[in-house]
Amino acid sequence: MTTSAASALAQRKELADDPHRPQYHFLPPANWMNDPNGLMQWKGQYHLFYQYNPYSPVHERMHWGHAVSSDLVHWTDLPIALTPTPGRADAGGCWSGCAIDNHGTPTLLYSGVYPQVVCLATSADDLLTWQYYSGNPVIAGPPPELLAGTGGHFRDPFVWKEGNCWYMLMGSKIEGVGGTLLLYRSLDLTTWEYLHPLLVGDASKFQPVWTGEMWECPNFLAFGDQRVLLFSALGAQERDLLYPLYITGAFRDEHFLPLAQGMLVHGGYFYAPQVMHDDQGRYIMWGWLKEGRRNSLLEEAGWAGVMSLPIIVAPLPGGRLSLEPVPELTMLREKHWRYEGIELSRVSNFLLEDSRDDRLEMLAEFEPGQHCEFGVKLRCSPDGQEQTRLVYQSASQQVTIEREQSSANSEVDRGNDSVVIEAGEVLKLHIFLDHSVLEVFVNGCCYLASRIYPECRDSLGLELFARSGTVRVRSLDIWRLASIWNI
Ligand code: FRU
């Protein structure tokens, strides 16, 4: 084992007993992580880079951490890929960016700070070490005519190829107008020509959703002729992270023709996703799951930030997206329980005594009656004081994560978050619980991610309930999931 792998393992061991630390989601050995970066499959192996502060659980002096997987589930830590270096354009930090295969040369394009510029690095040893390009920065900042309006916000290059040309999108803003994504073109990845904004937001519009003041972390996916643009919206303040958005449309003559727009992920904790195109032709997305607790608690814990599960993104008719966890995750399934035909009402809840746990996958199909309200309670303490509820209300067609009782600790987030779904005859909830991480896939197209921090070690209870009306549970599968770390 290399020294860096051994020290990563030692750090992981030290934190392994933390009851809030997820066991089957990727997260770094210790300290701070935010965005996924530079996702790429190289010689069959999945490479995940990430925004990383290896020194403390706060966002500062960002490096690129690196891990590799052959199955999308189990990860091996590799040495840090990019380190901010005095005298270079990334002296203040190596911020987010992407990876591409340039005719056999793995190449990273990333944000150097400060000021915010685009840097390039290449690898000659299968992504293990990276050589900083001597002509950096390859783009020294926003186009001069836009500079004042961007306030210098210019980051997160996303690069793709069309014919012989490379294109790049840069996250930015236009003061007094809204977020924007700036489009560039190049033939060699080092000389870039600014074309025009691919899209400009309108920060004065609050419906159907506020798109914020600045856009970060673009991704542009191609499904035949159809395109899907993803980006993350920032609010009025520098670290006022809002949510990831998507817009479907077409790309013609270097212009984007938007069709439909929506919130990519609900729940308030998933941000800055990046998508990889794998050898099987799948678009696989990861996002950063933020923490929901104060900095002092992060300092105490010694770590912050988790990667979401890997999720397959595909377009659906009507401008919606299908979001489903990758099937590879089924390899984590251990003990299994299955139930069918359970009737729930206010007087008959269904307590799942055997499967009490904080590391579970659940797949439930409900047949809602008229005017009913029902759901799943997770992480319940024996006295019921702590519990998190996932609730569906048929009248409003809303799925809500109710967290007001999720923790006895008042210093952690305990707000609720709801999403309106398209109701059908069956409501399918696919739930992943991993200590402080809760991810829910509703009917294969709506995805919520949240964080919960129960105080009581025994808050492991699980229950199905109805609080008004009746509902039939057609089927319920529960699996206890294995840890992905061999520690
Ligand atoms: C998104 C982001 C990116 C930036 C990175 C810095 O969370 O703000 O725009 O490159 O984080 O860590």
Side-chain angles (χ1 to χ4, degrees):
M1 196 186 292
T2 62
T3 349
S4 77
S7 80
L9 194 63
Q11 285 183 302
R12 289 194 183 279
K13 278 194 176 139
E14 210 165 294
L15 298 176
D17 285 340
D18 182 334
H20 299 309
R21 196 162 153 92
Q23 300 288 317
Y24 64 86
H25 284 75
F26 178 80
L27 76 182
N31 295 313
W32 174 276
M33 180 190 77
N34 54 295
D35 317 353
N37 289 153
L39 302 174
M40 111 178 298
Q41 195 174 11
W42 184 259
K43 299 191 176 164
Q45 301 276 91
Y46 292 97
H47 287 264
L48 168 64
F49 300 87
Y50 53 90
Q51 286 288 282
Y52 185 36
N53 174 4
Y55 304 110
S56 70
V58 296
H59 183 269
E60 92 199 350
R61 268 201 94 220
M62 299 314 295
H63 295 54
W64 276 35
H66 186 189
V68 67
S69 171
S70 51
D71 61 10
L72 285 173
V73 176
H74 300 91
W75 296 91
T76 303
D77 293 307
L78 291 178
I80 286 176
L82 297 177
T83 302
T85 304
R88 299 195 328 201
D90 61 8
C94 302
W95 283 19
S96 289
C98 63
I100 46 161
D101 176 355
N102 179 21
H103 305 288
T105 302
T107 303
L108 304 180
L109 286 124
Y110 66 100
S111 319
V113 297
Y114 297 92
Q116 300 184 6
V117 297
V118 180
C119 294
L120 184 147
T122 53
S123 174
D125 58 2
D126 291 333
L127 284 64
L128 264 184
T129 60
W130 293 88
Q131 284 71 51
Y132 183 80
Y133 171 59
S134 58
N136 276 334
V138 293
I139 306 182
E145 66 273 27
L146 295 182
L147 181 62
T150 63
H153 289 279
F154 183 70
R155 54 182 180 267
D156 312 335
F158 175 83
V159 176
W160 80 102
K161 201 162 197 188
E162 309 259 345
N164 285 334
C165 283
W166 293 103
Y167 286 90
M168 180 193 287
L169 284 178
M170 288 298 295
S172 192
K173 69 182 276 189
I174 301 177
E175 189 62 43
V177 180
T180 187
L181 300 175
L182 305 176
L183 181 64
Y184 288 76
R185 186 176 57 195
S186 172
L187 288 173
D188 61 5
L189 294 172
T190 55
T191 313
W192 290 91
E193 177 193 357
Y194 170 62
L195 298 177
H196 43 253
L198 188 74
L199 197 69
V200 181
D202 181 351
S204 67
K205 256 179 66 188
F206 290 88
Q207 294 298 332
V209 57
W210 189 45
T211 63
E213 308 256 1
M214 145 86 204
W215 291 351
E216 330 184 272
C217 302
N219 286 249
F220 202 37
L221 321 181
F223 298 92
D225 284 347
Q226 198 179 347
R227 299 292 165 118
V228 178
L229 183 64
L230 311 180
F231 57 90
S232 291
L234 258 194
Q237 306 297 323
E238 173 66 1
R239 298 301 305 165
D240 177 13
L241 313 177
L242 296 177
Y243 28 67
L245 296 163
Y246 76 89
I247 305 185
T248 59
F251 186 61
R252 290 212 192 100
D253 304 324
E254 300 178 333
H255 288 271
F256 183 55
L257 313 169
L259 265 176
Q261 127 180 7
M263 184 103 82
L264 183 65
V265 182
H266 305 265
Y269 288 86
F270 180 107
Y271 195 74
Q274 193 172 109
V275 181
M276 161 202 287
H277 198 229
D278 84 344
D279 293 349
Q280 296 176 39
R282 305 179 293 181
Y283 276 113
I284 304 174
M285 170 176 85
W286 283 262
W288 162 40
L289 300 181
K290 298 182 278 178
E291 295 296 326
R293 44 190 184 158
R294 285 197 188 170
N295 283 353
S296 58
L297 292 176
L298 303 183
E299 295 277 0
E300 249 172 64
W303 61 277
V306 182
M307 232 21 112
S308 71
L309 292 175
I311 295 159
I312 299 176
V313 183
L316 290 171
R320 291 178 316 138
L321 292 185
S322 148
L323 298 172
E324 295 266 29
V326 296
E328 282 87 338
L329 290 164
T330 55
M331 75 176 76
L332 291 172
R333 290 175 178 172
E334 291 184 335
K335 199 162 180 199
H336 178 218
W337 295 265
R338 184 176 167 88
Y339 308 88
E340 282 171 19
I342 309 162
E343 305 287 336
L344 298 176
S345 73
R346 233 153 59 86
V347 287
S348 74
N349 285 359
F350 191 68
L351 197 62
L352 294 145
E353 266 301 330
D354 294 345
S355 43
R356 290 167 53 82
D357 213 317
D358 50 9
R359 213 163 72 207
L360 293 171
E361 175 185 354
M362 289 177 77
L363 191 56
E365 291 194 6
F366 298 91
E367 293 166 9
Q370 294 287 311
H371 305 296
C372 56
E373 236 176 272
F374 61 89
V376 184
K377 289 183 194 169
L378 302 143
R379 304 238 36 196
C380 309
S381 58
D383 63 3
Q385 289 296 311
E386 279 191 327
Q387 55 175 265
T388 301
R389 292 177 300 271
L390 181 66
V391 185
Y392 178 69
Q393 290 165 295
S394 65
S396 56
Q397 299 186 3
Q398 271 187 338
V399 173
T400 305
I401 298 182
E402 295 182 346
R403 292 188 304 169
E404 70 267 21
Q405 277 177 266
S406 62
S407 175
N409 185 347
S410 59
E411 294 188 0
V412 306
D413 293 358
R414 293 182 299 180
N416 295 348
D417 204 84
S418 294
V419 54
V420 176
I421 60 153
E422 259 178 52
E425 272 168 30
V426 176
L427 175 79
K428 191 169 143 194
L429 298 180
H430 196 175
I431 303 169
F432 289 86
L433 173 67
D434 188 6
H435 294 251
S436 58
V437 169
L438 177 59
E439 286 168 283
V440 185
F441 299 85
V442 187
N443 294 343
C445 59
C446 173
Y447 163 47
L448 295 102
S450 191
R451 302 298 302 272
I452 47 174
Y453 304 92
E455 283 280 279
C456 167
R457 282 249 176 187
D458 211 15
S459 289
L460 302 169
L462 202 61
E463 186 176 337
L464 299 188
F465 69 97
R467 56 189 184 199
S468 74
T470 58
V471 58
R472 182 166 182 275
V473 186
R474 188 187 276 187
S475 65
L476 169 68
D477 287 287
I478 305 176
W479 294 269
R480 184 167 286 152
L481 297 190
S483 165
I484 60 171
W485 306 108
N486 203 0
I487 44 181

